[in-house]
Structures are given as structure tokens and as C-alpha cells.
Amino acid sequence: SLFAQVFGLSSVAQVVLGKGLTGQYLSINLAFGIGVTLGIHASGGISGGHLNAAITIMEWALGKLDWRHLSAYLIGQFLGSFLAAATVFALYYDSLYDYTGGNFTVTGPTATALIFSTYPSPTISLPGAFFTEFTATVMLVLGVQVIHDERNNAALKGTQPLITGILVLGIGLGMGMNTGYAINPSRDLPPRIFTAIAGWGTEVFTAGKYWWWIPVIAPILGCFFGSLIYKLLIDFHNQPEEEIEKKTEQTDVETS
């Protein structure tokens, strides 16, 4: 999580503090995709690539993780994300101070809190913002399931991290305007807590009509809904031929 977040957050810092001269929106999309790819490679052998708290919670609720693994993964994700925010803050502190004159704000012409956490577009309503985060996370979970489903047309072994990074890139390219595509509570909440401590104050929780809870709750609900859709529309209809033959044979035996 630390690895992935440093790439992503530092790219936002470079775009914002460089005033568009050292990167554009595409730079941020690419950096988060690269960060996710490398983060999965770094953590794959330890946790299976658990970087997203919403997916971790979903897998625990579905019985794929016990509570010990759930606790360990969530603590690791949140701590890594918090440390990533602190790292980027230290890396760009001089530029932050020069850009803001030492006045760290959440809104206004020199707002910099958006470097670390997501904030909704001024033109989007809270229901619209919630639906955006929910839908983007549904797309994320559907993509992750497709990439790893060995009973379907799964990605080749070793390519999953790269394709997952491309998936995150695609979400950013198509669904990032409204809310900044948090799609992950552990990507958004720990840096927000860091900014509250580091000088931006409690406005990081009240801005955007108390926006902060949406990137926490909407991705979790989106994960469950995305998993359900995949189960109903793909997984149930994609049983291997061996299983179908076994069920047919069992039915024949029971009939006899």
C-alpha cells in the first residue's frame, strides 16, 4: 500500500504544485496504475496483493479470509497509506510551502488537501458522488474477478498485476472527473487523517458537505454488488465441463 500510494499521491502533488507544467490529469491516471501494479507485485507473495480495504472486507464477509488476516491486512493497508501521505508531504514540503505561502487549505485557489485525498467536483451532488464511487468500484471488482477467474478466460499467470494496473488506469480515464475515483477506503481515509494532523485541520472532514464518508462506504457496497453481479451473470453460467459431467452422472445414478 505504501509503494502504490507514493506513486499516486506524488503524481497529484507534481501536477498541482507544478501548476500544470509538470504533468496533467493523465499523469495521475498513469501513476496510480503503475503504483497498483508494483504494489501487487510487492505484496503478492505475502497477502495475495491485498491493497484495497473494500475488497479485503468483501472477501472476509464471503468467508475467504478469517478475522486475523482481515485485521492484519487492514492495519497494513491503513498504515502504509498514512506513511505514504507523510512521505509525499515531506518530499514536497518546500514546494507546498511556496505554493500556499504556508497556509494549507482544503478549498480556494491554492487548495492542496486534494493532493492527498479525494474531494467531489463542485458540480456534483452527494447522491451523484456516491453513485460514481459505487459504480467505479463495481467496475473494479468485476475487472479483478475477470482477471483472476481460472474457470473463465483469466489473465496469464504473472500478468495479473499489470492488467490490474491497466484496469485502475481505465477507471481513472473514464470515471475520475466527479470524485477522483477513490474506489478504496484505505487509499482515501488514512491520508485524510494525515492532512487533518499535518496542518489542514478538521475541514478535511467537513468539506464537500461531509464528503469523507462516501469514499469509505460506497466502495465497500460497490464490492459486494460487483461480486454479486459476477456470480449471477458469469460464474453460475461458467462451470467446467468436468463438473457438469459429474453432476449429470450423479443425477443418472440417483434416477437409477
Side-chain angles (χ1 to χ4, degrees), residues 52-232:
N52 190 321
I55 293 178
T56 300
I57 291 170
M58 176 195 73
E59 294 208 341
W60 169 76
L62 295 177
K64 296 180 181 180
L65 290 177
D66 59 35
W67 68 268
R68 290 185 181 86
H69 284 93
L70 172 71
S71 302
Y73 292 168
L74 291 182
I75 290 170
Q77 291 162 3
F78 276 69
L79 183 59
S81 188
F82 186 91
L83 292 176
T87 300
V88 172
F89 178 76
L91 184 67
Y92 279 105
Y93 180 78
D94 291 339
S95 296
L96 271 167
Y97 198 90
D98 178 69
Y99 182 81
T100 63
N103 183 26
F104 298 159
T105 58
V106 178
T107 57
T110 58
T112 46
L114 54 85
I115 290 173
F116 301 93
S117 293
T118 63
Y119 292 87
S121 166
T123 60
I124 192 79
S125 65
L126 277 185
F130 189 99
F131 184 67
T132 298
E133 283 294 315
F134 175 85
T135 304
T137 313
V138 169
M139 294 299 105
L140 174 68
V141 170
L142 288 175
V144 168
Q145 302 255 31
V146 167
I147 290 166
H148 291 91
D149 188 352
E150 295 295 337
R151 299 198 304 178
N152 200 359
N153 190 21
L156 295 175
K157 187 175 181 180
T159 67
Q160 297 99 328
L162 175 61
I163 298 175
T164 304
I166 294 172
L167 169 64
V168 172
L169 168 63
I171 291 171
L173 290 173
M175 288 172 271
M177 184 179 77
N178 288 344
T179 62
Y181 70 111
I183 58 174
N184 180 358
S186 50
R187 172 263 178 271
D188 201 75
L189 184 57
R192 195 178 303 276
I193 294 171
F194 173 81
T195 51
I197 297 169
W200 283 266
T202 56
E203 191 183 351
V204 299
F205 292 104
T206 60
K209 299 177 182 177
Y210 294 86
W211 149 261
W212 73 271
W213 64 272
I214 290 180
V216 175
I217 302 300
I220 295 173
L221 296 179
C223 275
F224 282 107
F225 190 70
S227 179
L228 177 63
I229 289 177
Y230 192 84
K231 200 71 165 171
L232 292 175

Side-chain angles (χ1 to χ4, degrees), residues 26-58:
L26 179 59
S27 307
I28 298 169
N29 299 149
L30 289 169
F32 271 106
I34 292 168
V36 167
T37 296
L38 294 177
I40 294 172
H41 274 297
S43 63
I46 299 170
S47 70
H50 276 263
L51 302 178
N52 190 321
I55 293 178
T56 300
I57 291 170
M58 176 195 73

